[in-house]
Amino acid sequence: MVVTMALRCCFLGGLLLLLLLVASSKGVVAILDPVDFLALQAVRKRLEDMPGSDFFSAWDFTDDPCGFPGVFCAGDRVVALALGDPRAGSPGLQGHLDPALGRLSALAELSLVPGRVIGLIPDALARCSGLRFLALSKNLLSGPLPAGFGSLRRLRTLDLSYNQLSGPVPPALTAASALSNLILCHNQLSGPIPRFPRSAALLRLDLKHNQLSGPIPPLPSSLQYLALGSNALTGSADAVLPRLTRLNFLDLSSNLLEGPIPACVFRLRLEALQLQRNAFSGRLAPQGDVVIPVVDLSYNRLWGSLPPQLAGVDRLYLNNNRFTGEVPSRLVQRLSNGMQLLYLQHNFLTGIEFGPAAAAIPVGAALCLQYNCMVPPFDTPCPLKAGTQKMRPVDQCPNWRS
């Protein structure tokens, strides 16, 4: 044991002497901390450039590592590490992330450009207590999400999207009190969405394209961006959405959600409202005119009449539901005054309320009325998925009139 300690001290002493020689030969004032120096060496040994990349060509450890591409220092400590050439389209890195990253105890930012880095995300990263920004997206990282990230009290952005991560979203992660951007989309995560405290600072939650299941839990009212599409979520949304008054983007599409669509969502100043491919049912009851640019409620079980308040939408998808009655003239008139798309196919609509401009559909506007309980009065192209049948069979339309 004494011999081992002596050898370690001798090695660190030699390393310090090497750094002093490098510093004196180049006029460098600060000397990189030996622990950080060794950690960078370990990181370099486990990663390499993909063909066409030369990111590591300047990582020459006879030089000052604080001058390496992607390495940023404050004094004698590494505070930020950007691995790979950040220019768009540049080849990335391949290999593994070494647990030695956790020895960079002053690290505040760590990013990895898209590439083919595989293996686990090191649990040791949770030892970087000052970490504020962690982005490892668009690689081939696999295995579980380290639960220890919940101890990172300063972490604001965690982006692990477009990888192959599996297992649950650790409930401990919700303890990261400063977390404002949690982006875990396009992975293979399963299990329930953990419950965040009401006091959470979360602004963006993106969990779409995973295998998450169960109901949507209560979410922090601070949220501005919520994307949970393409999972297997169940239950109702009317207990969750009314509290989220600050949302500017909402995607709950391609789940198993049911029940009514809360009227409050139509009052939100959203960039897009995506609730398609669920089992939402009931009538639509917007309170006032809707000004959301894109509203997609297709492939649900919505019924009743079409609300004229939706005339302010630019792209409106209401197809493949159970709507009945006549199409309000306001909806059709808007096609000649700003609306770009109106899909109403595969419903049980019986006619159109013709207004002053309802008969003039401009070229380029998309209107589809196919497979309803009426003869479509406009011959406009429909998407291929609408099929070739113009009308529903008469036995499905008790109130049909030609």
Side-chain angles (χ1 to χ4, degrees):
M1 180 69 177
V2 174
V3 174
T4 302
M5 290 295 296
L7 289 173
R8 175 176 171 81
C9 291
C10 181
F11 176 74
L12 290 174
L15 176 60
L16 183 58
L17 178 60
L18 173 62
L19 292 174
L20 285 169
L21 290 173
V22 171
S24 61
S25 64
K26 296 186 173 295
V28 179
V29 176
I31 304 171
L32 185 63
D33 182 272
V35 175
D36 285 16
F37 185 93
L38 291 174
L40 288 179
Q41 281 192 324
V43 170
R44 172 64 184 92
K45 288 177 181 177
R46 299 290 300 277
L47 292 171
E48 61 182 7
D49 287 304
M50 287 177 60
S53 173
D54 61 353
F55 174 74
F56 281 127
S57 62
W59 277 46
D60 179 0
F61 283 92
T62 63
D63 206 341
D64 175 21
C66 291
F68 293 177
V71 179
F72 304 89
C73 300
D76 64 344
R77 306 303 307 278
V78 176
V79 295
L81 193 57
L83 296 170
D85 190 336
R87 292 177 295 183
S90 298
L93 306 178
Q94 57 190 3
H96 297 76
L97 292 176
D98 196 279
L101 285 164
R103 299 204 296 267
L104 299 172
S105 58
L107 194 66
E109 298 184 11
L110 173 61
S111 61
L112 175 66
V113 300
R116 299 187 64 82
V117 178
I118 63 175
L120 303 177
I121 298 174
D123 292 330
L125 275 172
R127 297 203 298 264
C128 300
S129 59
L131 201 61
R132 298 192 305 264
F133 180 88
L134 178 58
L136 309 175
S137 64
K138 297 182 180 178
N139 279 276
L140 300 173
L141 298 167
S142 59
L145 190 63
F149 285 173
S151 66
L152 298 175
R153 303 302 185 196
R154 299 182 182 180
L155 186 64
R156 296 178 182 174
T157 295
L158 178 60
D159 183 356
L160 307 177
S161 58
Y162 293 90
N163 278 290
Q164 298 176 359
L165 301 174
S166 58
V169 180
L173 188 61
T174 64
S177 55
L179 191 63
S180 58
N181 298 287
L182 179 57
I183 308 169
L184 304 176
C185 59
H186 292 270
N187 278 286
Q188 299 166 18
L189 299 170
S190 58
I193 299 172
R195 184 186 292 260
F196 288 83
R198 286 177 175 261
S199 59
L202 206 59
L203 299 177
R204 182 186 183 104
L205 179 61
D206 191 344
L207 303 177
K208 64 179 177 285
H209 288 276
N210 278 286
Q211 299 165 15
L212 300 170
S213 58
I216 303 174
L219 295 169
S221 59
S222 56
L223 272 177
Q224 298 178 11
Y225 185 105
L226 178 60
L228 304 177
S230 298
N231 282 286
L233 301 173
T234 56
S236 173
D238 58 356
V240 178
L241 295 181
R243 293 189 65 247
L244 306 181
T245 58
R246 303 179 186 179
L247 285 179
N248 55 46
F249 182 90
L250 177 60
D251 179 5
L252 303 180
S253 63
S254 300
N255 280 288
L256 304 171
L257 300 170
E258 56 188 7
I261 296 175
C264 61
V265 301
F266 296 107
R267 297 198 304 267
L268 297 172
R269 296 288 179 173
L270 298 172
E271 297 174 9
L273 173 60
Q274 299 180 4
L275 303 180
Q276 69 271 23
R277 296 185 182 276
N278 279 282
F280 288 118
S281 60
R283 294 177 178 271
L284 295 182
Q287 298 172 353
D289 289 345
V290 180
V291 293
I292 303 170
V294 179
V295 173
D296 193 341
L297 309 181
S298 61
Y299 293 93
N300 279 289
R301 300 173 184 174
L302 303 169
W303 51 270
S305 57
L306 297 176
Q309 297 95 323
L310 293 173
V313 177
D314 293 333
R315 301 178 67 85
L316 180 59
Y317 301 82
L318 299 176
N319 53 286
N320 295 82
N321 277 285
R322 300 172 182 177
F323 290 113
T324 56
E326 295 190 331
V327 181
S329 60
R330 280 186 64 190
L331 289 179
V332 184
Q333 289 170 7
R334 268 279 291 158
L335 284 168
S336 60
N337 188 28
M339 183 180 281
Q340 303 166 17
L341 181 146
L342 178 59
Y343 277 0
L344 301 174
Q345 68 270 21
H346 287 259
N347 280 288
F348 295 85
L349 300 169
T350 54
I352 287 182
E353 297 175 359
F354 280 92
I361 305 301
V363 176
L367 170 65
C368 187
L369 295 165
Q370 202 160 294
Y371 208 66
N372 277 285
C373 294
M374 63 176 174
V375 178
F378 305 106
D379 187 15
T380 55
C382 286
L384 293 176
K385 290 183 179 180
T388 57
Q389 290 182 275
K390 295 292 184 181
M391 297 171 293
R392 281 188 177 275
V394 174
D395 61 353
Q396 296 181 13
C397 302
N399 297 320
W400 182 83
R401 57 188 174 87
S402 60

